[in-house]
Amino acid sequence: DVYKRQRGLGDVYKRQARIEPFTSLFCEPLLEEASDALGRPLAEVALLDVGCGTGALALAAAARGAHVTATDVAAGMVERTRRRAEAAGLSVRTLVADGCCLPLEHAGVFQLALSNFGAIFFRPPHAGIDEMLRCLRPGGIIGLTAWGGPKETEAFQIIPCVARSLFGDDFIGADVPEKGRMSGSPEALSAMLSSVGLEPHITGPVTRHLRCGNAIAFWHRFALASPGTRRMLARLSANQREALQAAVVSILEQRFGGGEIMLPASAYLAIGRARPILGPVHVGTAGFAGISGHWAGKGVFMPGTKNARGDAALDFYQVRASHLLAWHRHLVVLSPPRAPTSWRSSCTRLTCI
């Protein structure tokens, strides 16, 4: 109803005020890296923003002239992005969609698929990256941002560290860090991109300073914005929460003299480029056995099926579309069994004769 919808939008506005001032600091670096990887400015580039949140990355890309489609699983986020784009006079197409299950019609549409601190929360992360890959054109680029480790994100560690000093590790527990967020280490990012057939390029750490007006503002922003910190606070009594807040505020006021809080936080920028794309392949009946065995060796096709004349043929039902797209986007087969419609829609070009 209208009340629930307005209340939901109110929560979105609060999220924008608490989180976006930090995450938006990395939008321009990500867009610069993506533009460099693509080898051209972003004007007229078809760009997919996955996990758009309240729209910071989508709006920054649209301001550069990109044709942006912004998606998020949360309808309130998508609505906020749409309203902000309209208010700014920018053209951004918005769509409610799960990053791990993007629309089928997005296959092979975009030159860039980006996620600013969104894909790192996918479960599992590589499922979302797989979907982003499926949505790319040949030669397309995937780009994402991920927070560094505890030593690289001081701003996020203050409340948990003070809580441990007051109440002990056993009481606070081990789940104060973001649960479900993948590691932002260069090794983890490279491994994830490589696992879906991308050539990884990691930049960083990229450091920005996160600012809050004073110690009280810092407490309210980080205590309410971080899911891990919220879970930790929920286990504390009212008196314990008050003691924790007082201790955090006191430490920050002593350090910054009661003025603006400015703490460093670092992130890594991960760019994945699809591996080189081959040209069209024309396969006759005599060539089925050879190409079937070749692609089976790549983990894409399963050999052994026969067509009506008994020739070796490709088993289309064993294809993972994202793997096929990573290896070969243009496949022309002269005498295969009938390929399912869903398989055809996942390919840039499939000709069955």
Side-chain angles (χ1 to χ4, degrees), residues 266-331:
S266 298
Y268 289 88
L269 313 179
I271 298 294
R273 182 188 298 275
R275 298 185 186 278
I277 304 299
L278 303 176
V281 174
H282 298 268
V283 184
T285 55
F288 271 126
I291 196 170
S292 178
H294 169 74
W295 286 111
K298 301 295 186 184
V300 178
F301 291 108
M302 296 294 290
T305 59
K306 303 286 184 178
N307 64 14
R309 290 176 294 184
D311 299 317
L314 302 179
D315 183 358
F316 290 97
Y317 290 88
Q318 297 295 328
V319 173
R320 281 190 65 190
S322 59
H323 285 182
L324 174 69
L325 290 170
W327 287 100
H328 203 299
R329 286 181 177 271
H330 301 287
L331 179 62

Side-chain angles (χ1 to χ4, degrees), residues 46-352:
L47 185 151
L48 177 65
D49 180 5
V50 179
C52 66
T54 50
L57 182 67
L59 270 61
R64 289 174 173 238
H67 299 304
V68 180
T69 297
T71 69
D72 199 287
V73 72
M77 301 294 181
V78 172
E79 174 70 6
R80 179 59 180 151
T81 298
R82 183 190 67 78
R83 291 187 179 189
R84 293 178 71 189
E86 288 183 353
L90 297 171
S91 177
V92 175
R93 179 174 179 250
T94 56
L95 183 68
V96 178
D98 186 339
C100 293
C101 188
L102 294 167
L104 289 176
E105 59 269 23
H106 281 181
V109 169
F110 299 95
Q111 294 156 281
L112 285 176
L114 306 180
S115 183
N116 190 41
F117 302 105
I120 57 175
F121 290 99
F122 292 160
R123 297 187 182 181
H126 66 76
I129 304 301
D130 226 4
E131 279 293 274
M132 293 168 73
L133 175 60
R134 180 179 64 81
C135 296
L136 288 181
R137 299 179 190 176
I141 299 294
I142 284 176
L144 57 95
T145 50
W147 292 115
K151 293 182 179 179
E152 298 170 305
T153 53
E154 181 187 4
F156 302 150
Q157 309 309 317
I158 289 180
I159 294 177
C161 286
V162 174
R164 289 190 178 96
S165 70
L166 291 177
F167 310 117
D169 288 340
D170 293 339
F171 184 82
I172 297 303
D175 66 336
V176 172
E178 297 294 352
K179 205 170 187 179
R181 188 183 84 191
M182 70 164 289
S183 168
S185 71
E187 295 77 15
L189 293 170
S190 293
M192 180 180 65
L193 294 177
S194 297
S195 73
V196 296
L198 295 170
E199 295 178 352
H201 175 72
I202 312 301
T203 299
V206 176
T207 302
R208 296 290 184 269
H209 283 83
L210 310 186
R211 298 171 181 268
C212 292
N214 53 48
I216 293 293
F218 176 94
W219 167 265
H220 287 299
R221 180 163 290 175
F222 280 89
L224 298 174
S226 167
T229 302
R230 289 203 306 269
R231 286 193 302 272
M232 181 264 292
L233 292 175
R235 292 197 294 269
L236 302 179
S237 68
N239 289 337
Q240 288 173 323
R241 286 194 295 271
E242 290 178 5
L244 177 58
Q245 178 178 346
V248 170
V249 169
S250 175
I251 289 172
L252 292 173
E253 287 182 342
Q254 290 178 30
R255 178 172 173 180
F256 294 98
E260 182 186 40
I261 309 300
M262 185 173 67
L263 292 166
S266 298
Y268 289 88
L269 313 179
I271 298 294
R273 182 188 298 275
R275 298 185 186 278
I277 304 299
L278 303 176
V281 174
H282 298 268
V283 184
T285 55
F288 271 126
I291 196 170
S292 178
H294 169 74
W295 286 111
K298 301 295 186 184
V300 178
F301 291 108
M302 296 294 290
T305 59
K306 303 286 184 178
N307 64 14
R309 290 176 294 184
D311 299 317
L314 302 179
D315 183 358
F316 290 97
Y317 290 88
Q318 297 295 328
V319 173
R320 281 190 65 190
S322 59
H323 285 182
L324 174 69
L325 290 170
W327 287 100
H328 203 299
R329 286 181 177 271
H330 301 287
L331 179 62
V332 180
V333 181
L334 299 184
S335 301
R338 178 173 175 79
T341 302
S342 61
W343 192 88
R344 297 184 189 199
S345 68
S346 298
C347 300
T348 304
R349 179 158 64 95
L350 170 66
T351 303
C352 293

